[in-house]
């Protein structure tokens, strides 16, 4: 880890969102990067005046672009570097990176995948894009840009939930649970502030716990495309009826890819892709959430054993990996509507939800 520690990752995230280059220094050497989404043609010229920087993509996006038949692009989950052909200018790279242009922009091709000489730095770059809420696509060249460098270990430290702390708590009566307290958590580097709603008074028995990932469209706007809003409110009622428990509201919008990328996935669903294929077409994992933060929140609340209100076995294994014992999985079933029936079927058939 560099001397800057987790702060290096926070500065790099800010730089990427502003369209500035960053450097990641890994075991195989340094890699300088410019995020395709926030750059423009002038910034690309300044970053790479000789026009030699390749385009770094995720394996999922490379598969969508039909590159997986090339040896250098065939390893699942490995970063893929596309050679910078003379015609691969900023607009062409944007079409490579952003699937909203897949139907509108015919790709010129052919694309040639190159060996990635800095695989750990390249993999960290794709993780960094997800944390920053950006498309996982970069102009990439070997060597260091004129910027502070970070390391993969810095990014590990940035995402490590051990730095999470309780910062304040207050009584918060809510619909369905008037006897409730809200507890706020945050880390020094991240702007994401997770909260817990503690409902009722501890009885000594394992609390009924719900892990709820933030969903602006469902929780606030009442979207019918998912079941998040009804699940949230039903969970509050179920916990209240059980006597006592905890709802963890995790700032992991869109299964960890962020609000903007989730809305991009919605646009792809409008083209006929299901929620799984939409995520991979964007270049992300099917589910990028880390439930270690939920484990840390429960530990800070003094709860090492819980009853978990979920249909998702990954939440059970995620909590147990974080050191929280799950004594019971309690199903959380809600009826479908015409807008989310396919979404729920996809969760059942492709992501293992026990609906």
């Amino acid at each position: 880890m560099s001397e800057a520690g987790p702060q290096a990752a926070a500065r790099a995230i800010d730089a990427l969102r502003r369209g500035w280059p960053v450097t990641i220094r890994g075991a195989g050497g340094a890699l300088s990067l410019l995020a395709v989404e926030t750059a423009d043609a002038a910034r690309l010229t300044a970053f790479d005046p000789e026009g030699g920087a390749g385009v770094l993509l995720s394996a999922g996006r490379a598969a969508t672009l039909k590159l997986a038949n090339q040896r250098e692009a065939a390893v699942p989950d490995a970063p893929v570097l596309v050679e910078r052909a003379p015609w691969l200018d900023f607009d062409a790279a944007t079409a490579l990176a952003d699937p909203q242009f897949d139907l509108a922009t015919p790709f010129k091709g052919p694309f040639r995948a190159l060996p990635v000489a800095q695989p750990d730095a390249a993999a960290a770059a794709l993780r960094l894009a997800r944390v920053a809420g950006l498309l996982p696509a970069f102009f990439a060249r070997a060597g260091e840009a004129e910027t502070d460098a970070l390391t993969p270990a810095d990014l590990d430290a940035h995402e490590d939930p051990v730095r999470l702390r309780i910062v304040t708590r207050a009584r918060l009566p809510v619909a369905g649970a008037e006897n409730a307290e809200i507890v706020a958590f945050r880390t020094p580097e991240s702007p994401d502030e997770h909260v817990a709603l503690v409902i009722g008074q501890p009885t000594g028995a394992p609390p009924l716990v719900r892990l709820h990932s933030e969903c602006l469209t469902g929780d606030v706007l009442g979207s019918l495309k998912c079941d998040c809003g009804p699940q949230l409110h039903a969970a509050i009622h179920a916990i209240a009826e059980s006597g006592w428990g905890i709802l963890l509201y995790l700032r992991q919008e869109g299964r960890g890819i962020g609000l903007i990328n989730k809305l991009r996935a919605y646009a792809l669903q409008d083209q006929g892709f299901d929620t799984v294929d939409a995520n991979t077409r964007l270049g992300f994992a099917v589910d990028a959430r880390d439930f270690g933060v939920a484990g840390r929140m429960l530990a800070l609340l003094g709860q090492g054993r819980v009853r978990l209100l979920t249909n998702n076995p990954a939440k059970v294994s995620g909590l147990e990996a974080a050191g929280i014992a799950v004594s019971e999985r309690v199903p959380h079933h809600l009826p479908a509507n015409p807008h989310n029936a396919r979404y729920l079927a996809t969760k059942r058939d492709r992501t293992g939800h026990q609906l």
Side-chain angles (χ1 to χ4, degrees):
M1 187 188 305
S2 70
E3 292 183 4
Q7 292 82 6
R11 287 196 297 270
I13 291 165
D14 181 65
L16 289 183
R17 293 175 69 95
R18 294 174 184 270
W20 298 343
V22 301
T23 296
I24 299 180
R25 189 185 300 124
L31 198 61
S32 291
L33 303 142
L34 185 70
V36 173
E37 180 178 345
T38 53
D40 54 36
R43 293 182 189 218
L44 174 58
T45 298
F47 171 75
D48 181 38
E50 297 182 359
V55 179
L56 184 69
L57 302 168
S58 72
R61 184 63 183 149
T64 294
L65 298 170
K66 310 300 183 187
L67 296 180
N69 62 345
Q70 299 183 36
R71 181 179 62 186
E72 302 297 348
V75 180
D77 300 324
V80 175
L81 184 64
V82 176
E83 183 181 32
R84 184 76 172 281
W87 48 263
L88 188 46
D89 58 10
F90 178 78
D91 290 339
T94 299
L96 275 180
D98 194 338
Q100 72 174 311
F101 299 114
D102 286 355
L103 299 181
T105 305
F107 293 124
K108 296 178 181 179
F111 304 115
R112 180 184 172 216
L114 300 175
V116 179
Q118 307 87 2
D120 55 338
L126 299 179
R127 287 174 56 201
L128 188 64
R130 175 186 55 78
V131 175
L134 302 178
L135 290 169
F138 296 90
F139 295 102
R141 58 178 175 79
E144 302 198 14
E146 294 180 2
T147 181
D148 291 338
L150 72 153
T151 68
D154 292 328
L155 187 55
D156 292 340
H158 180 81
E159 295 190 292
D160 189 345
V162 73
R163 297 174 65 81
L164 198 69
R165 295 286 185 270
I166 293 175
V167 290
T168 192
R169 54 201 310 162
R171 191 178 71 87
L172 184 70
V174 299
E178 295 186 15
N179 182 19
E181 178 188 35
I182 190 167
V183 185
F185 304 75
R186 71 181 174 200
T187 64
E189 299 83 24
S190 175
D192 296 332
E193 295 166 341
H194 307 282
V195 299
L197 190 68
V198 180
I199 297 171
Q201 297 299 319
T203 63
L208 182 61
V209 170
R210 171 70 182 168
L211 312 186
H212 187 89
S213 297
E214 177 183 31
C215 179
L216 174 70
T217 49
D219 299 342
V220 178
L221 301 179
S223 168
L224 299 176
K225 286 177 66 72
C226 65
D227 57 345
C228 299
Q231 279 194 334
L232 173 64
H233 298 294
I236 290 173
H237 283 83
I239 293 171
E241 290 171 2
S242 76
W244 95 281
I246 303 168
L247 184 138
L248 301 185
Y249 196 84
L250 307 172
R251 304 296 298 277
Q252 299 184 359
E253 180 86 49
R255 297 201 198 102
I257 66 175
L259 176 62
I260 299 300
N261 287 321
K262 183 181 84 167
L263 299 183
R264 289 179 169 128
Y266 278 3
L268 292 175
Q269 290 171 32
D270 290 340
Q271 296 177 17
F273 299 99
D274 66 24
T275 183
V276 169
D277 289 336
N279 271 33
T280 56
R281 197 171 186 90
L282 282 165
F284 295 106
V286 174
D287 192 335
R289 289 175 294 183
D290 178 5
F291 295 115
V293 67
R296 174 65 176 165
M297 292 167 73
L298 289 169
L300 289 171
L301 292 171
Q303 304 303 318
R305 178 176 293 273
V306 303
R307 300 167 59 229
L308 192 61
L309 184 63
T310 186
N311 303 323
N312 185 357
K315 290 184 177 180
V316 176
S317 59
L319 273 191
E320 291 181 336
I324 303 298
V326 178
S327 62
E328 180 186 2
R329 185 186 70 83
V330 181
H332 194 42
H333 297 307
L334 292 170
N337 68 59
H339 300 279
N340 70 15
R342 185 188 180 204
Y343 166 76
L344 296 178
T346 299
K347 290 206 296 185
R348 179 195 64 213
D349 299 338
R350 300 195 65 186
T351 63
H353 283 61
Q354 298 173 355
L355 303 181

